[in-house]
Amino acid sequence: MNNELATAIKNKEVILFVGSGVPKNLGLPTYAELIDQMAEHLGFNPETFNSWGNGDFLVLAEYYFLQKGNLGGLRSWMDRTWHDSQIDISRSEIYKLIIEMDFPIIYTTNFDRWLEHAYDYYEKEYVKITNVADIARTRNDKTQIIKFHGDFDDDSSLMLTESNYFNRLDFETSLDIKLRSDSLEKSILFIGYSLSDINIRYMLYKLHMQWKESSYEHIRPSSYIFLVDPNPIKERILRERGIIPIVAEGEEPGVSLAHFLKQLKDQM
């Protein structure tokens, strides 16, 4: 299986999808810490605030927005904290391997700029896409980095609240349409994702239905997700939706991901 995936990557036939588990290895704050910060901004005890929202970040961010009228303070804190000058991107084996594998298209649901910083550090050209205007300026000779849930450089693009996600459920924004188009001709490799993320599971379902309703499902390119926590129930559902789980066990998640990417690169 890995040989087939490595060959597809070598032939520029794979889209990389990067989740929050990747920058987490740089020591970025967790969403739990972000919830604590919202509580502090609003003058609440963090434990109480978290319990009121049952730990649901989207609901708590929605309340924050309603109380403050905007997300400016929260966004500024996230931007500063997630881009600490003490973080050295050159020390990340995972980002180095992503650059070396030279994916033509990378989607990310992360707001941070570490993918872009890695490309800058290794002096590899790329174009960042956050909206329809950016799509019009894409070039096939540069890696495309699509900020699927928004970017700190464009506040209006950020998907932080429950309303943001509800508005996205029709899967008809310019970036959704681009993903649907890209996925028709290339495989997708998901890294840094948890199967507890309902937003990603919904997206996978929509992509699956696109193929199922087309009558051409038999020519669909294989897609893969790298997982560090075995879950036979969700793995079975993923397979039904055309996603092949690759499960690693027994190592710290960041180490497992680095080993997986190194193995793929060595097979290319």
Side-chain angles (χ1 to χ4, degrees):
M1 182 188 304
N2 285 7
N3 283 333
E4 177 184 333
L5 175 56
T7 299
I9 294 172
K10 181 179 180 180
N11 293 336
K12 310 295 184 192
E13 296 170 351
V14 176
I15 297 165
L16 183 66
F17 228 106
V18 177
S20 61
V22 173
K24 181 180 179 182
N25 294 291
L26 297 174
L28 270 60
T30 64
Y31 274 91
E33 292 174 81
L34 185 54
I35 289 173
D36 289 348
Q37 188 66 24
M38 282 193 281
E40 182 179 321
H41 284 196
L42 294 168
F44 290 121
N45 173 277
E47 186 175 341
T48 303
F49 181 69
N50 193 33
S51 69
W52 285 340
N54 294 318
D56 188 326
F57 175 80
L58 297 178
V59 169
L60 294 170
E62 182 83 14
Y63 177 78
Y64 181 98
F65 175 79
L66 292 173
Q67 291 298 101
K68 292 286 190 178
N70 62 70
L71 295 170
L74 183 62
R75 188 212 66 84
S76 296
W77 181 85
M78 292 170 66
D79 198 353
R80 290 194 309 272
T81 309
W82 286 2
H83 298 105
D84 192 317
S85 60
Q86 299 301 311
I87 297 175
D88 184 357
I89 194 65
S90 70
R91 297 172 63 86
S92 171
E93 183 179 9
I94 292 173
Y95 280 91
K96 183 173 185 290
L97 287 165
I98 289 174
I99 300 297
E100 291 176 345
M101 294 166 78
D102 197 23
F103 293 92
I105 301 173
I106 300 177
Y107 281 80
T108 179
T109 47
N110 302 329
F111 309 128
D112 65 76
R113 303 186 189 91
W114 288 111
L115 264 175
E116 299 95 302
H117 288 339
Y119 271 81
D120 291 337
Y121 178 81
Y122 290 105
E123 299 182 342
K124 294 277 289 186
E125 289 191 314
Y126 66 93
V127 57
K128 182 173 71 173
I129 299 171
T130 62
N131 53 49
V132 67
D134 293 334
I135 293 175
R137 294 192 290 267
T138 56
R139 288 175 50 182
N140 292 329
D141 60 337
K142 294 183 179 181
T143 294
Q144 299 175 24
I145 298 178
I146 296 95
K147 306 298 284 285
F148 201 61
H149 282 175
D151 180 78
F152 283 135
D153 291 335
D154 180 5
D155 284 5
S156 65
S157 70
L158 293 175
M159 290 184 58
L160 277 169
T161 69
E162 186 175 69
S163 293
N164 294 151
Y165 278 89
F166 286 170
N167 290 335
R168 191 72 178 269
L169 286 179
D170 58 5
F171 208 57
E172 291 293 340
T173 71
S174 57
L175 296 188
D176 296 324
I177 293 168
K178 175 172 171 53
L179 173 60
R180 296 208 308 264
S181 174
D182 289 341
S183 67
L184 289 174
E185 58 183 26
K186 297 184 187 297
S187 298
I188 306 177
L189 169 61
F190 295 87
I191 62 173
Y193 286 100
S194 165
L195 293 182
S196 63
D197 188 337
I198 186 62
N199 305 297
I200 293 302
R201 299 208 310 272
Y202 178 77
M203 182 192 70
L204 295 178
Y205 171 77
K206 294 294 284 188
L207 291 175
H208 171 65
M209 292 307 297
Q210 170 182 263
W211 279 103
K212 194 174 184 64
E213 293 167 0
S214 72
S215 301
Y216 294 102
E217 193 173 7
H218 61 286
I219 63 170
R220 177 182 179 179
S222 298
S223 289
Y224 309 83
I225 185 167
F226 178 76
L227 302 170
V228 293
D229 295 315
N231 186 319
I233 294 174
K234 290 178 180 176
E235 289 169 33
R236 175 66 180 86
I237 294 171
L238 282 171
R239 291 191 187 94
E240 177 64 21
R241 293 177 183 166
I243 308 295
I244 301 170
I246 300 172
V247 184
E249 298 183 57
E251 289 184 306
E252 188 274 327
V255 174
S256 293
L257 178 56
H259 285 175
F260 169 66
L261 294 177
K262 177 87 166 51
Q263 182 184 49
L264 281 179
K265 181 178 177 295
D266 290 344
Q267 292 173 333
M268 288 171 60

